[in-house]
């Protein structure tokens, strides 16, 4: 047998053994793998969307919109949501309060050659650390891909 091949095979087996026994540093908590119902939001959900966004702190509003949106600006934003063009997703708690939401806004295809969408997400302070933002992003990315959108624009502050 070729000694070079034998050495490579041993190294590959050693790496595989390390991978099986090593605990990744970025391991998600056990609850991260639970099923979380993500619902498509419709126009009838506007009052809950408004309540969720108005409940965000100034810092959270800045992170969500890129500026500290006033109550009036948020009310205008919610009133102008286009549920036929865009996709909105939400996670509700047991009291049916909207605790996390994502907005996948389809961008004008005339502005670019490839179809694209903008992604925005917010999670209520009381519901953070549960992976809701990650789940909403994954859900929105899957919806975008299924609709032929291969570019997502995310403003990260």
């Amino acid at each position: 047998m070729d000694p070079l091949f034998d050495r490579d095979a041993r190294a590959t087996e050693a790496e595989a053994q390390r991978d099986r026994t090593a605990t990744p540093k970025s391991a998600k908590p056990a609850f991260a793998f639970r099923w979380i119902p993500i619902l498509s939001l419709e126009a009838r959900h506007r009052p809950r969307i408004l309540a969720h966004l108005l409940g965000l702190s100034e810092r959270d509003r800045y992170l969500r919109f890129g500026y500290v949106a006033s109550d009036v600006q948020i009310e205008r934003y919610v009133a102008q949501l286009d549920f036929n063009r865009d996709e909105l997703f939400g996670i509700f708690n047991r009291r049916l309060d909207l605790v996390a939401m994502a907005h996948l806004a389809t961008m004008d295809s005339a502005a670019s050659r490839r179809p694209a969408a903008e992604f925005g997400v917010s999670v209520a302070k009381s519901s953070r650390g549960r992976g809701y933002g990650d789940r909403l992003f994954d859900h929105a990315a899957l919806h975008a891909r299924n609709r032929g959108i291969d570019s997502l624009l995310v403003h990260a502050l």
Side-chain angles (χ1 to χ4, degrees), residues 137-156:
F137 178 80
D138 292 343
H139 191 77
L142 180 64
H143 271 266
R145 186 176 310 227
N146 287 340
R147 283 152 185 77
I149 297 170
D150 60 1
S151 296
L152 287 180
L153 177 64
V154 180
H155 296 281

Side-chain angles (χ1 to χ4, degrees), residues 36-47:
I36 298 171
I38 298 175
L39 302 175
S40 290
L41 301 177
E42 301 172 1
R44 66 186 173 90
H45 292 110
R46 278 187 208 274

Side-chain angles (χ1 to χ4, degrees), residues 27 43 65 91 129 153:
F65 295 104
I91 297 174
L153 177 64

Side-chain angles (χ1 to χ4, degrees), residues 108-124:
D108 184 16
S109 59
S112 68
R113 288 181 246 167
R114 296 175 12 183
E118 183 176 356
F119 174 78
V121 65
S122 57
V123 179

Side-chain angles (χ1 to χ4, degrees), residues 52-73:
H52 167 73
L53 294 174
L54 289 176
L56 297 176
S57 69
E58 282 188 6
R59 175 172 160 60
D60 294 335
R61 290 179 185 198
Y62 174 74
L63 293 173
R64 169 60 184 87
F65 295 104
Y67 61 94
V68 180
S70 69
D71 290 353
V72 172
Q73 290 169 318

Side-chain angles (χ1 to χ4, degrees), residues 76-108:
R76 190 176 317 125
Y77 166 79
V78 172
Q80 293 176 353
L81 289 172
D82 186 346
F83 292 90
N84 294 320
R85 184 192 67 190
D86 299 340
E87 301 270 352
L88 284 99
F89 308 106
I91 297 174
F92 293 84
N93 65 11
R94 292 181 184 182
R95 291 185 303 267
L96 299 179
D97 298 322
L98 184 62
V99 295
M101 68 166 281
H103 184 183
L104 185 63
T106 305
M107 297 176 70
D108 184 16

